Amino acid sequence: MTFRPGLALALLLPLTAGAADLSTAFPQLAKLELKNEGVTVLYPREHATKATPPAWLREYEEAGVYASTPLLLKLAGLPPLTLACDSGPSADPSCRLLRDADKPEEAAFEAPGTQFAILPDGRIYVGGHSDTFYDERRVYQWKKDRFVEVAQPLRHVGVSGALKQTVTLRSAPGAKAAELGLTLAAGTRVTVLLNDARKSGGSDGEEESSADYLLLTPEGIVGWAHLPGNPDGTTAVEGLYYRGD
């Protein structure tokens, strides 16, 4: 297997990880816990004021979804933005930033997640297992008139669990990549280190997250495995599953 410098750095990351604790990375930010929505927001207190609840919140309440617009943010060089977070219809919380609090469908930022760190310079860090297969860490930056996700070549996963079926290790991402000559039996405990961050087109034309993951075996061997999601959201690795709709 070809060894890459970027991979060496990635392997220095913790081998296991729970929910992203963004408050450790940004201790200077104030913390707002929205328990009903299932979201924690970190924000610059000096750039925030209390927002006026818009009328559309009642529609969410009537639909059985918890939602709130707790803050009006005035970040450096950006227009005033209203923070809007909701619990989602089924275990898939998310947050948005609205230019106009009365128009929730016209968001300048929107992402699933359980933790959001909003910095005064306009960066937004997101973490949490929501509408994803694991606790995805993402970062967004302001570009022209909206927030755009920064493309990562790989994503840190940090999930450990037993295999529920036989898995073949490969030398590169992709179901047709060359095999390493190593097959892991069901029951083998592995650590899922990384996910190939590239997306592919789904059957309906929409982009889907990559199903290629870098695994670490009990013997310390690494290799790529193609682990597509099953109809019920599970994968071949315990603990690696889709949470959300």
Side-chain angles (χ1 to χ4, degrees):
M1 180 170 58
T2 302
F3 190 76
R4 295 174 292 165
L7 180 57
L9 292 175
L11 293 179
L12 294 177
L13 293 169
L15 298 185
T16 60
D21 187 359
L22 294 177
S23 60
T24 301
F26 303 106
Q28 75 278 18
L29 298 178
K31 179 184 288 188
L32 173 64
E33 294 189 12
L34 303 173
K35 294 184 178 180
N36 289 335
E37 290 79 1
V39 168
T40 298
V41 178
L42 306 174
Y43 67 96
R45 191 186 303 275
E46 65 277 12
H47 292 266
T49 56
K50 187 176 180 179
T52 302
W56 57 263
L57 287 179
R58 182 176 295 278
E59 297 178 11
Y60 276 64
E61 181 180 347
E62 293 173 350
V65 176
Y66 291 104
S68 61
T69 55
L71 299 174
L72 178 64
L73 297 165
K74 297 181 179 180
L75 307 175
L78 275 62
L81 298 166
T82 299
L83 173 69
C85 299
D86 66 76
S87 62
S90 59
D92 48 1
S94 65
C95 284
R96 289 168 285 174
L97 288 175
L98 310 176
R99 300 183 193 85
D100 186 337
D102 294 320
K103 297 179 180 180
E105 70 282 358
E106 299 179 8
F109 164 81
E110 182 173 8
T114 60
Q115 292 199 41
F116 297 81
I118 303 172
L119 277 62
D121 64 5
R123 284 177 294 156
I124 302 175
Y125 287 83
V126 180
H129 192 173
S130 176
D131 274 352
T132 57
F133 280 90
Y134 57 93
D135 176 11
E136 284 193 10
R137 328 296 171 79
R138 285 159 280 143
V139 59
Y140 296 77
Q141 292 181 331
W142 182 264
K143 294 290 181 67
K144 294 184 179 179
D145 62 347
R146 65 186 61 250
F147 289 89
V148 177
E149 183 178 358
V150 175
Q152 301 178 66
L154 301 165
R155 294 188 192 277
H156 177 239
V157 181
V159 171
S160 291
L163 294 178
K164 295 183 286 185
Q165 63 190 58
T166 299
V167 169
T168 299
L169 294 184
R170 301 180 182 277
S171 61
K176 298 182 180 179
E179 297 182 6
L180 287 182
L182 294 174
T183 299
L184 306 180
T188 303
R189 290 198 64 84
V190 298
T191 298
V192 186
L193 296 172
L194 301 167
N195 176 224
D196 182 12
R198 295 173 297 179
K199 294 185 177 182
S200 58
S203 57
D204 57 1
E206 293 185 1
E207 286 192 338
E208 293 182 344
S209 296
S210 169
D212 296 306
Y213 297 86
L214 189 69
L215 305 187
L216 173 69
T217 73
E219 300 80 16
I221 304 302
V222 296
W224 288 94
H226 189 69
L227 307 174
N230 299 315
D232 63 356
T234 62
T235 70
V237 179
E238 292 179 351
L240 187 68
Y241 65 94
Y242 190 84
R243 175 179 285 168
D245 290 326

